[in-house]
Structures are given as C-alpha cells and as structure tokens.
Amino acid sequence: MTDSAAASPARIIDGKAFAARLRERVGRGVERLKAGHGLTPGLAVIIVGEDPASQIYVGQKGEMTRAAGMRSDTHRLADTATEAELLSLVDQLNNDPGIHGILVQLPLPAQIDASAVLAAIDPDKDVDGFHVINVGRLTAGLPGLVPCTPLGCLMMLKDALGDLTGLNAVVVGRSNIVGKPMASLLLQESCTVTIAHSKTRDLQGVCRQADILVAAVGRPEMVRGDWIKPGATVIDVGINRLPSKDPVKAAEGKTRVVGDVAFEEASQVAGLITPVPGGVGPMTIACLLMNTYTAACRSVGLDPTLPD
Ligand code: GUN
C-alpha cells in the first residue's frame, strides 16, 4: 500500500457485528445437531468467589450459550472453596455425557492452584484451550481446542485480509492465554512471526515492521501512532480502565475503557484496526460457543465445520 493511500483513516474491523454473525452460525449448527443427531451441546462454567468482573463475564457466557440453543450450567463456589472440592466438581463434569465444554473462570482464589485445576479438565472438553495437551496440539498443528481470544483475532484477520502467507506479524505480549497461542496460529498461516514483550529492544522499531500488529500487553494506549507501519492491520486485545476524561465524572469514580493501542493516533496510520470496545472482546465469547459446538461434534465423531 502507498503512503498516500494509508494517510486516510483506517477501516474499522467491527468485532461486535462479526461476533453476532458467528453466534448466529453456531445457533444454526446447534439446531442441525439437535434435529439430525438428537445432540444438545452443553457448557459448564465454574466460578469461585465474588470477583465482580468475573461475575459479569460468567453471566454473559451463560446468556449467550442459551441464546445459541445450548445447555448452560453455571456452578458457583464460595471463595473459601478448597482445591479438592473444585477438582471433584471437574471430575464429575468430565464424566457427564451431557457436558461437552468445561470452563473454570480465572482468576481463582489464592488457596487454589490454577494449573492443577486446568490440568484436571478433560482436554477434549477444554473449551478454553488452556490444557497443556491442547497447547501441544496447537504447536504441533494437530486438531485440538484453541484459546478463544486468539482464535477470534485470527478469524477477523482472515476475514479482513484473506491469505496471510508471508506477512510480517508482530505479537506484543507473551501470555499463555493470548500472546503465545496467537503466535502459533499466525505461524500456521505462514506469517513471519515475532513475539515482542517488555524486555524487547527497540519495541517501537520492531512494531513498525509489522504488516499485522497484535497488541496484548494490558498497558493502556501503549502502542502509539508512530509505532505503526502505514497501512498495517492492528488488532487490539487490551481492555483497560482509565478514569473518565470529564474531571467531574472521574471524581465520581466513572471510568472509560481503552485498549493497548492509542486508537486516535493509530487509526490515522493503520489500514485496518479493531476498536476497544467492540473489537476483539465480543469475539471471545462467540469463539467459546464455537469451541463448545466443536467439542460436542467431535464427541460423536461429526465434522465441526459451521454452516455459512
Ligand atoms: N478470565 C478472563 N478471561 C478468561 C478466559 O478467557 N477464560 C477463563 N477461564 N477465565 C478468564
């Protein structure tokens, strides 16, 4: 792309609309499974404690699961629950034939070892894709369950750009939930992939090489306009809360949500960009529903390809 073409503001990737279409496709897939095979996909979500953000996420997951025609069970444990209690519940759900997906909402209280709990989930019901078996399958290019947020990012990228072969992709952030699986997925699409992080030298210079820039660092508006190659595609995974710009509202404790990318600046340089909110966020739950559908299909040996 020429610089003059890139000087116009970026096209916005509408994650909210994309996610709504994906949930609708999952809903039609579920109808087909029910009618053709008498199978209703079931998702069990476990939440431990009262973390307000987690309560909101879990409520949304339940609502959208039901709206897609699936069974939704929410298991609420007190924040004093023991690891043994949680492991016993996971074991029960692993052995429940009506449950095809299990999600343990993170973070967990300090007395519970999250990695021990994640390791106890049946990998074929691990709709978060966090089990090391699924991490290994993704890295090896084998069929498995892929973490929802990077899967949603990849779907938006392929929809916007088509074939990603040969593109320079820079992923900023090396978390197990987003950065690492995102890099694996982009590598599988034959991108040239760099994972950058807080210790990267000349982070700005590395980012400026990117045709695809994925920001997943959890630092509000860290990626500036002059970090972006003109015409690049920018995917902003960050969800950060800052005080309201209005000082009166800020004094009342009102907040606004921003991404890891300084949107106003970046959208003057990028070719395509996801907004926050309304970009990656809505895709995460839509991909959770898709993963539950995938797990249900595979449990009876059916092809999990969604209807168009
Ligand atoms: N907490 C915040 N995001 C997530 C997620 O994607 N999965 C789980 N299990 N917990 C979370």
Side-chain angles (χ1 to χ4, degrees), residues 57 61 103-107 128 130 149 177 284:
Y57 291 141
K61 285 170 186 173
L103 181 145
V104 179
Q105 185 69 24
L106 302 175
D128 256 331
F130 294 166
T149 300
I177 292 180
T284 298

Side-chain angles (χ1 to χ4, degrees), residues 44-282:
V45 174
I46 305 174
I47 177 165
V48 186
E50 303 295 331
D51 179 66
S54 292
Q55 294 285 345
I56 292 171
Y57 291 141
V58 166
Q60 288 173 342
K61 285 170 186 173
E63 269 172 39
M64 291 191 180
T65 304
R66 282 188 291 279
M70 300 196 263
R71 170 177 165 190
S72 161
D73 294 358
T74 303
H75 298 266
R76 296 175 189 279
L77 274 60
D79 61 3
T80 52
T82 62
E83 190 174 308
E85 282 173 72
L86 188 48
L87 289 173
S88 157
L89 177 56
V90 167
D91 183 55
Q92 183 191 317
L93 296 168
N94 280 343
N95 291 297
D96 182 340
I99 291 297
H100 306 93
I102 303 170
L103 181 145
V104 179
Q105 185 69 24
L106 302 175
L108 290 169
Q111 76 274 15
I112 297 174
D113 175 3
S115 57
V117 175
L118 297 180
I121 297 172
D122 177 345
D124 294 333
K125 296 190 178 188
D126 168 37
V127 283
D128 256 331
F130 294 166
H131 194 292
V132 288
I133 291 284
N134 282 316
V135 176
R137 286 169 175 162
L138 175 60
T139 308
L142 298 171
L145 289 161
V146 176
C148 302
T149 300
L151 182 56
C153 295
L154 184 73
M155 291 180 81
M156 289 193 289
L157 280 168
K158 288 174 76 167
D159 182 70
L161 300 176
D163 186 6
L164 309 182
T165 301
L167 295 177
N168 274 339
V170 175
V171 179
V172 191
R174 53 177 156 176
S175 71
N176 290 335
I177 292 180
V178 184
K180 289 178 195 168
M182 186 78 246
S184 294
L185 287 169
L186 290 164
L187 185 58
Q188 218 158 67
E189 298 299 323
S190 300
C191 292
T192 302
V193 182
T194 303
I195 304 181
H197 47 78
S198 56
K199 303 288 192 294
T200 296
R201 290 188 194 160
D202 186 20
L203 183 56
Q204 176 177 350
V206 170
C207 290
R208 270 191 71 90
Q209 300 296 312
D211 302 306
I212 295 171
L213 181 61
V214 181
V217 277
R219 306 241 331 243
E221 300 180 328
M222 187 181 84
V223 175
R224 313 304 310 188
D226 58 4
W227 293 31
I228 293 166
K229 177 176 171 177
T233 300
V234 178
I235 304 288
D236 188 351
V237 181
I239 300 175
N240 309 288
R241 283 195 180 275
L242 290 181
S244 170
K245 276 187 176 166
D246 178 335
V248 177
K249 288 187 178 158
E252 291 167 353
K254 293 266 187 332
T255 58
R256 64 195 167 101
V257 174
V258 301
D260 292 346
V261 177
F263 182 85
E264 293 302 327
E265 291 175 17
S267 59
Q268 298 305 311
V269 186
L272 283 163
I273 189 166
T274 60
V276 177
V280 173

